Amino acid sequence: MTSRQHHRCQTFARHILEQQQDWHPEARGNFSWLLSGIVLACKIIGEEVRRLGLSEVRGAAGDENVHGEQQQGVDVFANEVLMECLGNRGNVGLLASEENEEPVVVLECPDEGEYIVVFDPLDGSSNLDVNVSVGTIFSIYRRTAQNGLSTEQEVLQPGRDQIAAGYVLYSSSTMLVYSTGRGVHGFTLDPTIGTFVLTHPDMRMPERGWTYSVNESYADGFPPYCRRFLHWLKSGEDNTAYRSRYIGSLVADFHRTLLLGGIFMYPPTSTFPEGKLRLAYEGNPIALLAEQAGGLATDGRGRILDIEPTALHQRVPLFVGSQLEMQKLHAFIEQPLKV
Ligand code: AHG
Ligand code: MN
Ligand code: MN
């Protein structure tokens, strides 16, 4: 069997089943059925993104989302596809999306709908019309069968309770990167067979990197510690002259940080005093992946995964990256990094 054929047989579906047999022999295949719904949706979204210039969903949708942001046609398309592919899995109770003000109840009874899926259907969508990488980010929780909780209260779980998280990056290749709490694994879509195959087993973030990623146009509004840290990154002290890379799609900027190390930051700014990114479907899934790969993720005060959410769309400052850069950042914050 040549290595290439072997590669093509190590599919995402097989990987999930192997993990399930190793870690949850009692599982009934429910979870892998749920994940296959996400995979199906992302294949459909990826195809639409790939042919966007030819597509009728390109450009602005003409509406604003719950955050008052201009919705792209593909934001709406991606959201509808995920709602449909996950809504008919038969085991998802609640769906919460960046594009919906409230969670969507799919199955009322927690015993049937045991899972909650929270997602950013299309991350970086303002980059779509200029053909820059975008992605889908997802996070999966178990329903807490505490009666009397509102659907929003059921969704508001701390990131440390995620049972899985991941993203699909629609770029030069389409990659799925996920974790169920046992490491981070990357799969590349093989378009000749329409299947995600394992290409990056056990992904580890380097202890340190040479890249920092932040939108410096907001620097005047950053907290003082952040401006001092930025000065250090650029000063070449400890002969560490970093280079700047900023794509403007969280998934793409994080994917590079995961592979090469360094740090990504969306700090508090004068426009967004609590940061721009949303905790539920950007901060938490990215933080789980970072920690599972050996990195760290904080809001400048403490661990992202320990934040007790108070609202579905709440924003959070996000600092995520390699151990060295994250510890150095927190040295400037003059408080030890509590993780
Ligand atoms: P979304 O497209 O889901 O709204 O997310 C956009 C986010 C994130 O992808 C990126 O890191 C950030 O917006 C970029 O913000 P700025 O343009 O303010 O730098
Ligand atoms: Mn986003
Ligand atoms: Mn989005």
Side-chain angles (χ1 to χ4, degrees):
M1 178 83 80
T2 65
S3 63
R4 178 168 166 65
Q5 285 162 343
H6 171 71
H7 246 318
R8 296 174 87 184
C9 294
Q10 183 57 24
T11 63
F12 179 62
R14 177 175 152 190
H15 190 267
I16 287 290
L17 285 176
E18 285 171 354
Q19 291 238 329
Q20 194 167 277
Q21 280 148 11
D22 294 350
W23 299 93
H24 293 290
E26 79 293 347
R28 308 180 308 280
N30 243 350
F31 185 59
S32 40
W33 174 237
L34 161 58
L35 284 173
S36 65
I38 293 176
V39 168
L40 172 63
C42 290
K43 285 181 185 176
I44 296 168
I45 295 166
E47 265 314 294
E48 206 58 35
V49 165
R50 208 171 55 78
R51 50 188 294 280
L52 195 61
L54 308 167
S55 155
E56 58 283 352
V57 291
R58 73 177 180 179
D63 296 332
E64 288 187 346
N65 63 15
V66 294
H67 318 276
E69 295 159 345
Q70 184 65 47
Q71 256 182 334
Q72 299 296 313
V74 194
D75 279 322
V76 176
F77 173 82
N79 196 43
E80 288 168 354
V81 167
L82 277 157
M83 287 288 175
E84 183 174 346
C85 289
L86 290 170
N88 64 25
R89 288 286 119 174
N91 56 15
V92 175
L94 301 176
L95 291 169
S97 166
E98 174 196 11
E99 303 303 333
N100 292 64
E101 184 136 22
E102 306 290 334
V104 173
V105 178
V106 178
L107 290 169
E108 198 66 52
C109 167
D111 296 342
E112 289 155 24
E114 60 186 301
Y115 297 109
I116 297 172
V117 186
V118 183
F119 52 85
D120 177 352
L122 209 71
D123 173 68
S125 51
S126 58
N127 280 321
L128 269 170
D129 285 347
V130 293
N131 212 10
V132 168
S133 309
V134 294
T136 297
I137 311 173
F138 62 88
S139 177
I140 304 172
Y141 296 87
R142 284 199 189 290
R143 282 186 88 170
T144 50
Q146 297 161 25
N147 301 325
L149 280 184
S150 74
T151 51
E152 178 154 17
Q153 285 165 329
E154 277 207 79
V155 173
L156 295 180
Q157 299 184 33
R160 62 176 177 267
D161 292 346
Q162 294 172 96
I163 59 172
Y167 56 80
V168 177
L169 177 61
Y170 310 113
S171 184
S172 42
S173 64
T174 297
M175 268 201 78
L176 183 154
V177 174
Y178 93 114
S179 176
T180 57
R182 280 175 291 284
V184 178
H185 310 282
F187 299 77
T188 301
L189 182 64
D190 180 338
T192 62
I193 55 174
T195 303
F196 282 102
V197 294
L198 182 64
T199 49
H200 298 65
D202 296 312
M203 299 175 81
R204 299 298 293 169
M205 192 186 286
E207 284 288 309
R208 65 148 311 145
W210 299 97
T211 305
Y212 71 91
S213 185
V214 66
N215 186 332
E216 290 193 62
S217 66
Y218 308 137
D220 292 347
F222 290 167
Y225 69 81
C226 195
R227 293 205 299 275
R228 288 198 302 276
F229 177 58
L230 207 47
H231 177 74
W232 175 80
L233 287 166
K234 298 196 272 191
S235 67
E237 265 176 45
D238 322 337
N239 61 42
T240 50
Y242 286 80
R243 58 174 181 260
S244 169
R245 287 284 185 279
Y246 192 72
I247 299 166
S249 295
L250 169 63
V251 182
D253 281 317
F254 175 72
H255 188 69
R256 181 199 54 247
T257 307
L258 176 62
L259 288 171
L260 302 182
I263 189 166
F264 169 85
M265 301 182 274
Y266 205 111
T269 68
S270 36
T271 314
F272 296 111
E274 272 307 305
K276 173 187 180 185
L277 301 175
R278 280 54 58 102
L279 174 64
Y281 37 82
E282 290 169 318
N284 275 332
I286 292 298
L288 178 72
L289 294 167
E291 289 197 2
Q292 282 293 313
L296 293 168
T298 76
D299 63 354
R301 294 177 286 265
R303 195 172 173 238
I304 290 280
L305 295 181
D306 285 337
I307 296 173
E308 294 292 342
T310 53
L312 173 57
H313 300 292
Q314 81 183 66
R315 298 180 189 273
V316 67
L318 179 63
F319 302 92
V320 57
S322 298
Q323 291 283 338
L324 183 141
E325 286 81 7
M326 289 295 292
Q327 297 292 354
K328 190 72 182 178
L329 164 73
H330 275 263
F332 282 99
I333 299 177
E334 282 131 26
Q335 75 181 48
L337 189 42
K338 301 188 297 297
V339 286

